Amino acid sequence: MGVSGTGKTTVGVGIAEALGCDFVEGDDLHPAANVEKMRSGTPLTDEDRWPWLRAVAGRVGEHEAAGTDLVITCSALRREYRDLLRDGHPSVWFAHIDTPREVLEQRLRERKGHYMPGSLLDSQLATLEPLADDEPGHAYTGQGSAQQTVDGLLAELADERPR
């Protein structure tokens, strides 16, 4: 979880590969109207996000029902969004990739082929509610290399969620 440009996708793919499980890019589950709204530089509202979050939660539920592991990226910026994702899904564990603003801005300037413009960073940062102590998961710095974040996350998962 985290704002755009944190490296969620790169880290998520690395975690999924290391664990030998499926990976889903949560952005791919956005309705077309959300994608167009973001592409035009308009921030999403809660009303825009709820169907997308339900789709993300649905994908989690499919994997839980099948007994398979899944790594899925999702901004999950607010506590209530994360509560929806966890509701009825005991396997959900959040890795908040927390990246300094300067690094985010640079990454977003250099990013190619993504519909999310850097102009929406302010609205995402304003919406972001860091993980609370009672939420399952941990925050990781997104300032170093993606591999450093993957390694830290894998170590934490081994301690917290033995297979």
Side-chain angles (χ1 to χ4, degrees), residues 46-121:
D46 282 350
E47 292 72 32
D48 297 321
R49 287 185 179 104
W50 293 124
W52 169 63
L53 291 163
R54 284 191 288 276
V56 171
R59 193 62 63 93
V60 170
E62 290 168 10
H63 278 267
E64 284 182 339
T68 57
D69 290 330
L70 170 69
V71 173
I72 189 167
T73 57
C74 176
S75 54
L77 298 175
R78 295 180 62 204
R79 169 73 183 246
E80 67 181 315
Y81 304 162
R82 296 187 296 270
D83 288 347
L84 182 146
L85 295 170
R86 287 188 3 236
D87 188 30
H89 303 293
S91 70
V92 172
W93 191 87
F94 297 100
H96 176 192
I97 311 300
D98 190 17
T99 306
R101 180 187 187 92
E102 307 78 50
V103 174
L104 293 169
E105 289 172 343
Q106 178 184 347
R107 288 179 183 173
L108 292 172
R109 276 193 307 271
E110 295 171 356
R111 185 159 71 176
K112 306 280 187 256
H114 196 280
Y115 57 79
M116 179 74 163
S119 62
L120 293 178
L121 180 59

Side-chain angles (χ1 to χ4, degrees), residues 135-156:
E135 291 182 276
H138 187 75
Y140 300 87
T141 181
Q143 189 165 355
S145 73
Q147 190 58 53
Q148 289 171 316
T149 304
V150 168
D151 292 344
L153 238 160
L154 288 171
E156 176 106 8

Side-chain angles (χ1 to χ4, degrees), residues 2-10 23 25-30 34-36 38-41 44 52 73-75 107-120 124:
V3 300
S4 187
T6 60
K8 294 184 300 288
T9 299
T10 303
F23 172 79
E25 170 56 69
D27 283 343
D28 293 342
L29 302 177
H30 269 293
N34 284 7
V35 172
E36 288 310 312
M38 288 183 280
R39 183 175 279 130
S40 74
L44 296 179
W52 169 63
T73 57
C74 176
S75 54
R107 288 179 183 173
L108 292 172
R109 276 193 307 271
E110 295 171 356
R111 185 159 71 176
K112 306 280 187 256
H114 196 280
Y115 57 79
M116 179 74 163
S119 62
L120 293 178
Q124 284 201 321

